[in-house]
Amino acid sequence: MILKIADNIYSPMGFTTAENYAAVKQGRSMLESYPAGTMDLPEAFTASLFHWDEVEMTDGCTPFESIVIQSVGRALAQTTVDVSSDRVLFILSTTKGNVHLLDSRSPRFPEERVLLGEAAATVARHFGFSRTPLVVSNACISGLSAQITAMRLLESGACDIAVVCGADIQSRFIISGFGSFKALSPMECRPFDIERLGLNLGEAAATIIYTRSETQGEKGQWQAVSGAVRNDAFHISGPSPKGEGSYRAIRAAMGDTAPDELAFINVHGTSTMYNDEMESAAIDRAGLLDIPVNSLKGYYGHTMGAAGVLETILSMAAVDDGTILGTRGYEELGVSHKVKLSAQNAPTTKQAFLKLLSGFGGCNAAMGFRRRS
């Protein structure tokens, strides 16, 4: 049995999970409009970015590495984990890591620091992890891919503790890349809404620590029940209209969980025309149209490598609180399959949820989680 023993969310909305959950429950967001010229970009954009004067920087580390260290450190502080043990593994989920160094050509850091493995090794050395860290970088599904990897390694006995951190920060390289796809909304995003115009980008680091246990765990403790990655290889940047990969991932991740056990499905919900339509098709094909659906992108934007971890932790906090979080920005359904969304928070007594992510290259992931009762 794979159980969560600690977590942290470090974002522009707050530096603890509790701060982040309270802000989201209140409907707050850190999405802001940034004028042309920001990061030397030619056009204005909307995003959720750190105020870097509020972030504690670690000596000898980049901004990206510093937010990872802050999140991992806060999660580890909740435990007695000895990171020097060879039974403890650090897994970093990120899509771009230190790519911002290429924007500025910062003289403080050698160019090889842009390599994801170098960033992970820097963080591991800071804490004293003895094992070589593992990097999971699989487009937008990285955060779930990393958790599924942790599950498999724990179940196989390859480690006893897995510290999984997902993180990304924004840069001229990333924002201009999404802009070239015409995927960015100039205003706050509206997941699944008929007026949606595209996504916003965001920054965050989020950490979840798992352990393998031979017992059922304590009442209220969270279990990672199942997970699956499926690639439909439909297109390098566009999802399958039928949601083929997402549907297959959902089917595999549901396992023996009955649909009526689910409090909600926390979807990727980027607010792009094709992603939201595809996810609605996959949910319909999986026979889950009666299950409430929500997206958290209206609060944080798309936090890339952090999204799968951050949104999992928030979903756990919501179930702990007996709440289905509303989808900020949603007003009127704008997809062809009638998924159940609301902008308002709603009560629930159910103790399980399904988390979905999808990404470039046709990759899709789904994970099922259950709270021990």
Side-chain angles (χ1 to χ4, degrees):
M1 183 171 293
I2 309 305
L3 301 174
K4 185 200 78 169
I5 58 173
D7 63 55
N8 169 266
I9 297 174
Y10 193 89
S11 84
M13 204 105 79
F15 295 160
T16 68
T17 296
E19 289 173 350
N20 277 268
Y21 178 70
V24 171
K25 189 177 180 182
Q26 294 165 11
R28 291 172 48 203
S29 172
M30 286 297 288
L31 289 170
E32 300 178 29
S33 178
Y34 291 86
T38 305
M39 299 185 192
D40 293 325
L41 287 162
E43 297 179 355
F45 62 94
T46 297
S48 175
L49 306 180
F50 281 109
H51 294 167
W52 287 100
D53 59 339
E54 300 175 0
V55 174
E56 184 177 341
M57 304 298 289
T58 303
D59 288 345
C61 291
T62 67
F64 167 75
E65 294 158 2
S66 292
I67 65 168
V68 173
I69 286 169
Q70 291 301 317
S71 182
V72 170
R74 283 165 165 77
L76 285 171
Q78 302 165 31
T79 74
T80 58
V81 171
D82 177 10
V83 298
S84 67
S85 167
D86 64 4
R87 303 298 298 166
V88 179
L89 178 64
F90 171 51
I91 302 176
L92 177 64
S93 158
T94 185
T95 65
K96 293 294 182 285
N98 278 323
V99 75
H100 60 283
L101 297 181
L102 298 183
D103 289 350
S104 61
R105 297 290 181 181
S106 170
R108 289 186 55 213
F109 300 99
E111 197 165 289
E112 60 266 22
R113 198 66 158 266
V114 78
L115 300 174
L116 301 183
E118 289 293 323
T122 298
V123 173
R125 283 194 297 270
H126 173 85
F127 288 105
F129 285 94
S130 63
R131 289 183 64 164
T132 301
L134 185 64
V135 174
V136 176
S137 185
N138 192 8
C140 299
I141 74 167
S142 297
L144 283 190
S145 292
Q147 291 182 73
I148 292 168
T149 299
M151 281 183 62
R152 292 173 178 171
L153 291 172
L154 288 163
E155 288 170 344
S156 71
C159 61
D160 295 330
I161 302 285
V163 180
V164 182
C165 181
D168 266 307
I169 66 174
Q170 298 304 321
S171 66
R172 184 175 184 271
F173 176 87
I174 298 170
I175 296 171
S176 60
F178 277 94
S180 70
F181 282 117
K182 306 299 181 186
L184 297 178
S185 171
M187 57 194 68
E188 293 184 15
C189 65
R190 303 180 65 173
F192 286 79
D193 192 82
I194 195 169
E195 299 290 343
R196 67 189 186 279
L197 296 173
L199 61 82
N200 307 136
L201 292 166
E203 298 180 325
T207 303
I208 192 162
I209 303 179
Y210 288 114
T211 187
R212 184 181 73 253
S213 175
E214 301 301 325
T215 71
Q216 295 296 307
E218 299 177 4
K219 183 178 180 180
Q221 194 166 15
W222 278 96
Q223 176 189 1
V225 179
S226 56
V229 172
R230 297 291 183 269
N231 194 304
D232 55 36
F234 178 78
H235 189 271
I236 192 171
S237 62
S240 162
K242 295 180 179 180
E244 186 65 32
S246 184
Y247 160 66
R248 290 171 181 260
I250 292 170
R251 188 174 62 181
M254 283 294 290
D256 59 1
T257 300
D260 62 6
E261 295 181 69
L262 297 176
F264 54 82
I265 304 170
N266 180 245
V267 295
H268 194 35
T270 60
S271 303
T272 60
M273 294 303 294
Y274 295 121
N275 174 87
D276 293 4
E277 175 65 23
M278 175 278 289
E279 285 196 288
S280 76
I283 291 167
D284 189 356
R285 290 181 65 188
L288 300 176
L289 282 181
D290 291 334
I291 310 303
V293 167
N294 67 355
S295 166
L296 298 171
K297 298 298 191 294
Y299 304 97
Y300 291 91
H302 189 349
T303 55
M304 297 166 45
V309 183
L310 182 154
E311 294 169 6
T312 293
I313 295 170
L314 278 179
S315 295
M316 289 175 172
V319 172
D320 288 341
D321 190 38
T323 300
I324 302 170
L325 293 169
T327 298
R328 189 177 187 275
Y330 173 79
E331 293 182 10
E332 181 181 353
L333 190 66
V335 293
S336 60
H337 302 264
K338 298 188 183 302
V339 289
K340 295 175 61 175
L341 284 101
S342 173
Q344 306 304 316
N345 297 338
T348 184
T349 59
K350 297 183 179 180
Q351 303 291 295
F353 69 91
L354 189 68
K355 172 73 190 116
L356 308 183
L357 287 180
S358 298
F360 289 157
C363 57
N364 300 271
M367 280 192 78
F369 300 89
R370 180 178 295 119
R371 187 175 185 265
R372 306 303 301 172
S373 57

